[in-house]
Amino acid sequence: MDLLGSILGSMEKPPSLGDEEKKKVKAQKALIEKQQEAEKKKLNHFRIKIEKRIHEFIKDGTKQNFKFEPMDKVYRAIVHEVADVAGLTSFSFGEEEEDRYVMLWKKEFAPCDEELLAYRKGEQWDPEKAKELAKQKELALLQDEADARSKPTTIIPATNYKDKYKHLIGEDAAKDAAKQTMANRSYGFVPSENKRDQRTIEQVLADTRAKKKLKTSHSSTVTESTDEADNSKEEAADTPTSSSQLTTS
């Protein structure tokens, strides 16, 4: 005999159930199965009833939606399942374990978002009132667009660039930073205003023309002087030659 077998052999056997206890366990099991079977029959009966009501709703051409009475979650699940098989749209509204109910719509009359929101708020849905509200909302939107086009758009920046670049440009910038300059010893005590050209455009143009005219006349004078010098050189070059010829003769 191995070790495991010896250990199991030395252990006491669990107490066996008596006949009375076995009967109690069997009766309890049978009761549970009976309750489950009764619940199953009850749910099947409820399903048949819901299928009949939904079938009558589909056949009625005057109804677009159908509201069920408040019911528990397990029954609402059956209603949703049967409605989905029948090709209907279903939603649940109300508070859980209080007044939550299921409402069905035919596919061609599926609810809009505004209708669902009204039922979720516990309000009644009025199609005519909803159309009037939608029309008023559209008119208000058009009026807002017209007002926006008529008013000039003013763009306000979210931040001020001066604050963003304060560490680079300092507190003052552009015209705010302009200050009157003072005479400086290193520049000969000459104010900056004296170094600036104070002439007008007409004066600048007149001075430019005068300079061009002076330059042109100076060039002409230099050219004439150059021509006279050349002529003198040629005459001087011719004079010695004639003297030599005379001496030879």
Side-chain angles (χ1 to χ4, degrees), residues 17-200:
L17 296 175
D19 293 339
E20 292 296 331
E21 292 178 350
K22 287 182 179 179
K23 288 181 180 179
K24 288 182 180 179
V25 172
K26 188 175 181 180
Q28 187 177 5
K29 184 178 180 181
L31 180 62
I32 292 174
E33 291 178 352
K34 186 177 181 180
Q35 290 176 348
Q36 290 177 349
E37 187 66 23
E39 185 67 22
K40 186 177 180 181
K41 288 182 179 180
K42 183 178 178 181
L43 293 177
N44 287 335
H45 178 71
F46 179 79
R47 178 184 291 271
I48 294 172
K49 182 180 177 181
I50 292 299
E51 289 176 350
K52 182 178 179 181
R53 295 176 68 180
I54 289 179
H55 181 68
E56 291 176 353
F57 164 63
I58 294 175
K59 288 176 62 178
D60 191 349
T62 61
K63 293 183 178 180
Q64 299 180 3
N65 52 40
F66 184 81
K67 178 182 178 181
F68 284 92
E69 64 277 1
M71 59 184 70
D72 294 336
K73 185 175 182 179
V74 62
Y75 298 112
R76 294 200 308 270
I78 294 175
V79 175
H80 285 297
E81 183 179 349
V82 175
D84 185 62
V85 173
L88 302 176
T89 301
S90 62
F91 288 93
S92 294
F93 305 101
E95 297 294 331
E96 189 67 47
E97 298 182 358
E98 290 185 9
D99 59 350
R100 195 162 180 82
Y101 61 93
V102 179
M103 196 165 184
L104 309 180
W105 282 269
K106 296 178 181 179
K107 288 291 185 180
E108 58 270 24
F109 303 107
C112 60
D113 295 337
E114 289 79 7
E115 184 175 358
L116 294 177
L117 182 60
Y119 285 119
R120 290 191 179 103
K121 291 181 178 180
E123 302 173 356
Q124 292 297 326
W125 173 254
D126 187 354
E128 298 298 329
K129 185 178 179 181
K131 290 180 181 179
E132 185 66 24
L133 291 175
K135 186 177 181 180
Q136 293 178 3
K137 186 177 179 180
E138 185 178 359
L139 291 175
L141 183 61
L142 293 175
Q143 184 64 34
D144 293 339
E145 292 178 355
D147 294 342
R149 286 194 298 267
S150 61
K151 295 180 180 179
T153 55
T154 304
I155 301 175
I156 301 176
T159 58
N160 189 349
Y161 79 97
K162 292 185 179 180
D163 296 335
K164 184 176 181 181
Y165 299 103
K166 181 178 178 181
H167 62 288
L168 298 176
I169 63 177
E171 295 288 344
D172 300 327
K175 293 183 178 179
D176 297 336
K179 298 179 181 179
Q180 185 177 2
T181 57
M182 302 297 294
N184 195 328
R185 183 184 183 88
S186 60
Y187 294 100
F189 293 101
V190 179
S192 59
E193 294 182 355
N194 295 349
K195 300 177 182 180
R196 193 180 305 165
D197 194 350
Q198 303 291 341
R199 297 177 298 172
T200 62

Side-chain angles (χ1 to χ4, degrees), residues 199 202-218:
R199 297 177 298 172
E202 291 77 7
Q203 292 175 348
V204 172
L205 294 175
D207 294 342
T208 303
R209 285 194 293 267
K211 287 181 179 180
K212 287 183 178 180
K213 186 176 181 181
L214 181 61
K215 185 176 181 180
T216 304
S217 60
H218 179 69

